């Protein structure tokens, strides 16, 4: 099909909930993707932080292909070797205990919320309230969009589930004031992604951990975007010297194959019994094979170190652009290969101009350019993006 025919067919038949760009992608290789007309794009969005190994990674393709020829799905009524290997790996790398496999980040957060409430009711039947931070993003199911403290995602879906409250991110005193005897959990992203690559203050997460310990409150960290090496360590919380009670994963976990997970300490997970939670597709053999391949590639290819090194290199380049265009860029922030450039104007036109020049980036929170490329990129790819950005900003 020609590009315009594809776009028209989708627009005629798909619910109009996405603001899409007018290109149709056909295939990818490494950090590049190609549209149906053969145009090449450097992908620094990576399916919104999903394609951590880039496109067409041989080990990931082989793992999926081999597993598809053996067993794609069998439900969780039966054990599989690929799931056994994955949950063992996730339990080990997280420093936590038990794993539940889901299909998406929203499902993972939904499960974490259920687990937290069930656990807290052992302490006090009234402990049902979840506190999250303004400008967060935790998903689009009814409970997770309620946890998402952004009215634009909630509008039109009232009545929302009860038991959620919100505080400003990075304000420990506001958080302390919001805690009550009914608080069962605090749900945070270590670095807010969709909210604009908002960084925690140096000691904020440690103070939150301490507060949770003092008040018998569970700390749930949503690492759906920051996890799987995105910030230079497998989990962002490792860089802040804390361990949550529950951590949630998705995006990069399957390298593009839909999968999610939440991992909890043995103590917290112990409240779940047979029938308390479930998923027909979650953790199926195909998704687990993909995730095992991603974990192995991150380890064998040194992608954590690459994310740190290339993230620092990229951030320095963005700071050079900030110095060159101080009226357009006011701040560069982020960790590893999760970076943002705060603009003084809406970013959509810049994103469109980069796309026209063959570079895919994205704008979040309206005025923050977001860069979440594959963890496999090299300096030449960063230089290519910086050159395009320089050209685009120079024309404004």
């Amino acid at each position: 099909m020609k590009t315009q025919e594809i776009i028209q067919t989708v627009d005629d038949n798909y619910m109009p909930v996405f603001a899409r760009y007018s290109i149709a992608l056909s295939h990818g290789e490494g950090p590049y993707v190609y549209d149906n007309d053969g145009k090449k794009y450097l992908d620094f969005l990576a399916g919104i932080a999903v394609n951590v190994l880039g496109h067409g990674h041989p080990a990931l393709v082989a793992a999926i292909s081999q597993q598809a020829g053996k067993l794609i799905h069998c439900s969780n009524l039966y054990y599989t070797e690929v799931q056994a290997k994955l949950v063992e790996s996730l339990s080990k790398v997280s420093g936590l205990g038990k794993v539940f496999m889901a299909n998406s980040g929203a499902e993972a957060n939904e499960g974490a919320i259920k687990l937290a409430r069930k656990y807290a009711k052992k302490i006090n039947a009234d402990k049902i309230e979840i506190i999250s931070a303004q400008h967060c993003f935790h998903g689009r199911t009814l409970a997770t969009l309620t946890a998402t403290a952004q009215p634009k995602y909630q509008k039109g879906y009232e009545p929302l589930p009860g038991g959620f409250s919100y505080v400003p991110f990075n304000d420990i005193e506001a958080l302390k004031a919001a805690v009550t005897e009914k608080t069962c959990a605090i749900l945070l992203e270590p670095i807010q992604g969709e909210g604009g690559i908002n960084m925690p203050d140096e000691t904020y997460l440690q103070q939150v951990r301490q507060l949770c310990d003092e008040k018998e409150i569970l700390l749930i960290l949503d690492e759906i975007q920051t996890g799987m090496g995105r910030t230079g360590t497998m989990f962002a919380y490792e860089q802040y010297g804390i361990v949550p009670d529950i951590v949630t994963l998705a995006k990069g976990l399957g390298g593009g194959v839909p999968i999610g997970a939440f991992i909890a300490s043995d103590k917290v997970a112990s409240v779940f019994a047979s029938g308390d939670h479930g998923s027909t597709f979650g953790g199926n053999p195909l998704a687990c094979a993909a995730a095992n391949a991603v974990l192995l590639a991150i380890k064998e290819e040194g992608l954590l170190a690459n994310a740190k090194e290339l993230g620092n290199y990229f951030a320095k380049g963005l700071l050079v652009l900030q110095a060159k265009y101080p009226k357009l860029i006011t701040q560069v922030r982020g960790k590893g290969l999760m970076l943002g450039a705060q603009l003084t104007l809406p970013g959509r036109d810049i994103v469109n101009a980069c796309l026209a020049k063959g570079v895919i980036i994205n704008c979040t929170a309206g005025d923050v350019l977001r860069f979440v490329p594959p963890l496999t990129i090299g300096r030449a790819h960063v230089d290519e993006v910086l050159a395009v950005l320089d050209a685009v900003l120079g024309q404004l």
Side-chain angles (χ1 to χ4, degrees), residues 325-331 341-347 350 366-369 393 396:
Y325 304 104
K327 293 184 178 179
L328 298 176
I329 299 177
T330 59
Q331 188 181 35
Q342 179 68 58
L343 303 170
T344 57
L345 70 171
I350 295 175
D367 57 3
V368 179
L369 297 180
L393 295 172
L396 297 178

Side-chain angles (χ1 to χ4, degrees), residues 154-270:
Q154 300 172 346
K155 188 177 180 181
Y157 300 109
E158 303 86 353
L160 301 174
F164 292 88
S165 61
Y166 319 113
V167 295
F169 188 56
N170 260 335
D171 188 337
I172 190 64
E173 295 306 321
L175 185 57
K176 288 179 180 177
V179 167
T180 71
E181 291 183 351
K182 292 184 176 181
T183 304
C184 80
I186 295 170
L187 170 59
L188 296 173
E189 298 160 277
I191 300 171
Q192 292 186 329
E194 191 71 21
I197 316 294
N198 300 319
M199 299 294 294
D201 293 339
E202 195 60 34
T203 61
Y204 176 65
L205 293 175
Q206 292 173 353
Q207 290 174 308
V208 175
R209 176 70 271 180
Q210 184 178 351
L211 177 64
C212 288
D213 291 341
E214 290 171 355
K215 300 292 185 180
E216 287 192 289
I217 296 167
L218 296 182
L219 175 57
I220 305 171
L221 290 184
D222 176 342
E223 293 248 13
I224 286 162
Q225 189 163 154
T226 52
M228 300 307 293
R230 172 61 55 194
T231 67
T233 49
M234 189 61 76
F235 300 90
Y237 63 73
E238 296 172 58
Q239 299 181 50
Y240 295 95
I242 63 165
V243 177
D245 299 293
I246 306 173
V247 65
T248 59
L249 282 174
K251 288 192 179 291
L253 180 57
V257 174
I259 186 171
F262 61 97
I263 315 167
S265 67
D266 286 329
K267 180 181 176 183
V268 174
S270 67

Side-chain angles (χ1 to χ4, degrees), residues 4-307:
Q4 196 52 47
E5 185 182 1
I6 293 170
I7 292 171
Q8 193 63 55
T9 301
V10 171
D11 288 348
D12 287 346
N13 296 284
Y14 201 101
M15 293 187 186
V17 294
F18 300 114
R20 302 179 196 254
Y21 296 98
S22 296
I23 60 172
L25 299 176
S26 63
H27 62 286
E29 183 178 359
Y32 293 97
V33 289
Y34 298 81
D35 69 15
N36 271 49
D37 300 326
K39 184 174 177 178
K40 184 179 179 181
Y41 301 85
L42 180 53
D43 184 4
F44 262 47
L45 183 58
I48 314 181
V50 167
N51 303 101
V52 290
L53 304 186
H55 301 276
H57 189 284
L60 179 57
V61 171
I64 296 168
S65 300
Q66 290 168 12
Q67 188 58 48
K70 294 178 182 176
L71 185 69
I72 293 176
H73 179 73
C74 64
S75 85
N76 282 299
L77 294 174
Y78 314 98
Y79 294 94
T80 63
E81 183 177 345
V82 283
Q83 188 183 89
K85 289 180 177 177
L86 179 59
V87 297
E88 182 182 39
S89 296
L90 291 176
S91 179
K92 186 176 179 181
V93 297
S94 66
L96 291 167
K98 298 291 191 296
V99 181
F100 181 88
M101 303 307 308
N103 301 290
S104 68
E107 256 192 62
N109 280 336
E110 190 90 18
I113 290 168
K114 288 176 66 178
L115 177 60
R117 284 187 169 172
K118 182 126 199 221
Y119 177 82
K121 286 188 176 182
K122 279 181 42 179
I123 303 169
N124 180 339
D126 292 330
K127 282 176 80 72
I128 53 95
E129 292 181 351
I130 312 280
I131 301 174
S132 58
Q134 292 168 1
H135 305 297
C136 65
F137 184 84
H138 297 299
R140 292 178 184 271
T141 64
L142 207 51
T144 58
L145 74 81
T146 306
T148 296
Q150 297 196 53
K152 67 180 180 180
Y153 293 115
Q154 300 172 346
K155 188 177 180 181
Y157 300 109
E158 303 86 353
L160 301 174
F164 292 88
S165 61
Y166 319 113
V167 295
F169 188 56
N170 260 335
D171 188 337
I172 190 64
E173 295 306 321
L175 185 57
K176 288 179 180 177
V179 167
T180 71
E181 291 183 351
K182 292 184 176 181
T183 304
C184 80
I186 295 170
L187 170 59
L188 296 173
E189 298 160 277
I191 300 171
Q192 292 186 329
E194 191 71 21
I197 316 294
N198 300 319
M199 299 294 294
D201 293 339
E202 195 60 34
T203 61
Y204 176 65
L205 293 175
Q206 292 173 353
Q207 290 174 308
V208 175
R209 176 70 271 180
Q210 184 178 351
L211 177 64
C212 288
D213 291 341
E214 290 171 355
K215 300 292 185 180
E216 287 192 289
I217 296 167
L218 296 182
L219 175 57
I220 305 171
L221 290 184
D222 176 342
E223 293 248 13
I224 286 162
Q225 189 163 154
T226 52
M228 300 307 293
R230 172 61 55 194
T231 67
T233 49
M234 189 61 76
F235 300 90
Y237 63 73
E238 296 172 58
Q239 299 181 50
Y240 295 95
I242 63 165
V243 177
D245 299 293
I246 306 173
V247 65
T248 59
L249 282 174
K251 288 192 179 291
L253 180 57
V257 174
I259 186 171
F262 61 97
I263 315 167
S265 67
D266 286 329
K267 180 181 176 183
V268 174
S270 67
V271 299
F272 263 0
S274 179
D276 280 348
H277 196 50
S279 172
T280 296
F281 293 107
N284 80 14
L286 191 70
C288 288
N292 283 327
V294 169
L295 281 164
L296 189 61
I298 288 174
K299 179 181 178 182
E300 291 189 341
E301 298 178 21
L303 298 185
L304 299 182
N306 197 58

